[in-house]
């Protein structure tokens, strides 16, 4: 019993340390964003919301934010059907060379993002699509699709493989069975994957950097460009915007799927 | 039925006719020339060891897989080209396959919705079937909010609510604990009788098969070994496999000496024993096995009664099973094979200790002689464990 106590304390200590360690950079940025001074500093000088006002006033930031939202939306809309169907196909049909397919679909993970970005830059250049915004969303779909597939696959693999047979047995033709049984049953995975795709696309930097120009710059790229000149507290305020978006996503996930389900599926 | 067009009266076709159906998966012959008919309202239980092809047979009837050979008829109509969703067969799956994103009531309503029933009739029927399976008031629960036994009943209600011609049960009770399972067996029987639906039930629990069915079909290695009413299958098994699969059975290896009109004599070890024989084609000199059920064998305390076969034996082991004791003993005259027998009333009888010598007796009519199983020489003499778990 005594030893159990000691172990518990140790675990508690490690957990507290981990939590602090994980949260510290975020906390520092959040606190710093409320500075009244002209440079990013910790601890901040005084307290004000002036830098939040500043990012709202700066047209470039707002536009870049909207572009990022657009890109993330395109990416999510494309990956929802693509990833869901791919995951279902992999799990349900005894595909010939299923393993090869799986590897193929995971390919984007095995290649450095810089290389993927370069490839797409060349491809989009050839097709005359550089400088357009929606192809960026498409590119982000390609590099992040494995996340979507995983999200759905985790859900499909937990399902009873007889679910569709049951639907057929109860009188549902195949398409009906798919719409009324298969799809709703994997919905938690679809929602999880979709939110993940959205947030990943919203944050994506490397590939975007290679595909956007001054007119189509997205928020992470714009931030990077700003950092290269001067680090002003408005960047800290922008970071807080990102934290908020992540928080909203997690909240949505909890409302739609239940965090418990999500965490259990990992 | 009235004779039509001057022809003889035509009998209604059987509910199910399975005609020489086989299914091969690559190298495995999962179902081999299975052939039987099932009259309307009957309750058939398919009993057999794991991998003998029970599920495969059921899935062919439901239409999820196609037979490699043979034909299945439902209502006198071949169903080869009928997809599962047009077959009017209710099925309770081994793992239930309830729809996780729906409530209990929505699950039960599903087949009615697929058939385009009007809304208020759906509601009425769902209520009625919830009551039938004793789940009144729980219709609004999600599946994961129900206990295993309750989920079971939702699956049963869902398979029955559209009044299918045929109900298929693929070991739906296997996952339940013993007590709940026995309750559900009786419940099932009650519902089935109440609705009169033709039912095919699959299990590897022999007790369930005997309790629930009008007819039992014993399968092994894809083939029907015997199909009959439960009493017949238990008391008059047709072959060694069936004799060994049901009950706790001792097997004595020996050689047939003579056989006439269902009675026979065989040599076991140093003894010549009398018994019954069902298969008249077994010739004297053939290697045979005599099956003796554990409950037909007993200790004789007094002088020999008329008509008892008696051997001397030494008790090896006593196992307490609650309502009964299971002994194992060695009778030197019958060879090294341990004999198992039961004392069904242990409180009234003296308990015998290992090492004690006793006289064991049985009636010749209880000794059933079968052709020895050529494929399983190692099994000879080893009584199979009874499965009550
Ligand atoms: N889809 C399949 N592909 C290949 N072989 C199969 C397939 N389905 C079943 N089999 C084989 O067919 C045989 C019969 O299987 P089946 O599932 O019908 O057995 P069962 O009697 O239902 O067993 P259990 O009591 O374990 O459920 C087994 O040897 C099994 O391995
Ligand atoms: Mg099975």
């Amino acid at each position: 019993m005594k030893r159990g106590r000691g172990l518990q304390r140790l675990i508690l200590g490690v957990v507290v340390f981990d939590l602090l360690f994980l949260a510290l950079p975020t906390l520092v940025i959040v606190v710093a964003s409320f500075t009244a001074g002209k440079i990013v500093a910790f601890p901040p000088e005084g307290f004000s919301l002036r830098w939040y006002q500043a990012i709202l006033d700066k047209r470039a930031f707002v536009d870049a934010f909207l572009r990022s939202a657009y890109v993330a939306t395109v990416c999510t809309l494309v990956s929802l059907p693509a990833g869901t169907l791919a995951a279902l196909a992999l799990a349900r049909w005894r595909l010939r060379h299923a393993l090869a397919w799986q590897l193929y679909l995971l390919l984007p993970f095995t290649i450095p993002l810089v290389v993927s970005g370069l490839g797409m830059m060349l491809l989009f250049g050839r097709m005359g699509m550089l400088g357009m915004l929606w192809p960026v969303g498409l590119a982000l779909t390609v590099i992040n699709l494995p996340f979507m597939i995983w999200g759905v696959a985790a859900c499909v693999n937990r399902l009873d493989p007889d679910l569709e047979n049951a639907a057929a047995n109860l009188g549902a033709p195949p398409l009906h069975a798919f719409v009324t049984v298969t799809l709703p049953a994997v919905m938690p995975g679809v929602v999880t994957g979709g939110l993940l795709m959205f947030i990943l696309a919203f944050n994506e930097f490397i590939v975007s950097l290679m595909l956007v120009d001054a007119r189509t710059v997205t928020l992470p790229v714009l931030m990077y460009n700003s950092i290269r000149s001067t680090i002003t507290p408005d960047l800290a305020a922008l970071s807080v915007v990102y934290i908020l978006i992540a928080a909203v996503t997690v909240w949505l996930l909890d409302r739609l799927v239940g965090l418990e389900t999500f965490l259990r599926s990992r | 039925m009235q004779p039509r067009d001057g022809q003889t009266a035509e009998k209604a076709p059987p509910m199910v006719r399975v005609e020489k159906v086989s299914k091969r998966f690559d190298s495995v012959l999962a179902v081999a020339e299975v052939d039987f008919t099932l009259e309307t309202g009957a309750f058939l239980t398919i009993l057999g060891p794991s991998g003998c092809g029970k599920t495969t047979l059921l899935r062919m009837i439901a239409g999820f897989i196609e037979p490699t050979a043979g034909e299945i008829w439902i209502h006198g109509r071949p169903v080869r080209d009928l997809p599962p969703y047009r077959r009017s067969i209710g099925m309770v799956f081994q793992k239930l396959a309830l729809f996780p994103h729906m409530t209990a009531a929505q699950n039960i309503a599903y087949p009615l919705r697929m058939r385009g029933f009007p809304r208020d009739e759906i509601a009425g029927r769902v209520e009625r079937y919830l009551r039938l399976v004793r789940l009144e008031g729980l219709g609004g629960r999600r599946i994961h909010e129900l206990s295993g036994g309750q989920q079971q009943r939702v699956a049963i209600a869902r398979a029955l609510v559209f009044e299918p011609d045929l109900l298929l049960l693929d070991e739906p009770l296997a996952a339940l604990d013993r007590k709940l399972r026995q309750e559900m067996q009786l419940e099932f029987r009650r519902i089935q009788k109440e609705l009169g639906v033709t039912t095919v039930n699959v299990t590897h629990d022999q007790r369930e098969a005997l309790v629930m069915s009008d007819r039992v079909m014993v399968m092994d290695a894809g083939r029907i070994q015997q199909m009959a009413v439960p009493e017949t299958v238990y008391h008059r098994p047709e072959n060694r496999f069936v004799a060994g699969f049901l009950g706790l059975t001792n097997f004595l290896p020996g050689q047939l000496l003579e056989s006439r009109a269902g009675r026979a004599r065989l040599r076991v070890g140093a003894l010549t024993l009398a018994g019954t024989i069902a298969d008249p084609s077994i010739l004297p000199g053939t290697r045979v096995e005599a099956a003796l059920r554990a409950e037909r064998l007993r200790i004789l305390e007094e002088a020999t009664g008329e008509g008892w076969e008696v051997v001397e034996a030494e008790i090896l082991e006593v196992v307490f099973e609650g309502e009964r004791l299971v002994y194992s003993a060695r009778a030197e005259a019958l060879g090294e094979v341990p004999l198992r027998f039961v004392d069904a009333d242990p409180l009234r009888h003296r308990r015998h200790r290992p090492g004690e010598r006793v006289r064991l007796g049985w009636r010749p009519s209880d000794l059933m002689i079968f052709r020895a199983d050529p494929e399983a020489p190692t099994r000879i003499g080893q009584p199979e464990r009874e499965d009550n778990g």
Side-chain angles (χ1 to χ4, degrees), chain A residues 159-174 176-177 180-182 184-185, chain B residues 59 64 84-85 89-91 93 95-102 110-111 113-115 158 162:
Chain A
L159 291 182
D160 188 333
D162 267 330
L163 228 46
E164 279 134 345
N165 280 340
N169 175 254
L170 296 168
H176 237 78
T180 56
V181 171
T182 316
Chain B
R59 283 173 182 267
F64 305 141
Y85 54 92
I89 294 174
M91 179 151 177
F93 291 81
K95 287 194 216 129
L96 304 185
L98 292 168
F99 304 135
H101 57 286
M102 299 183 193
Y110 189 84
R113 273 180 31 222
M114 289 304 121
R115 285 173 173 73
R158 187 181 69 171
F162 59 104

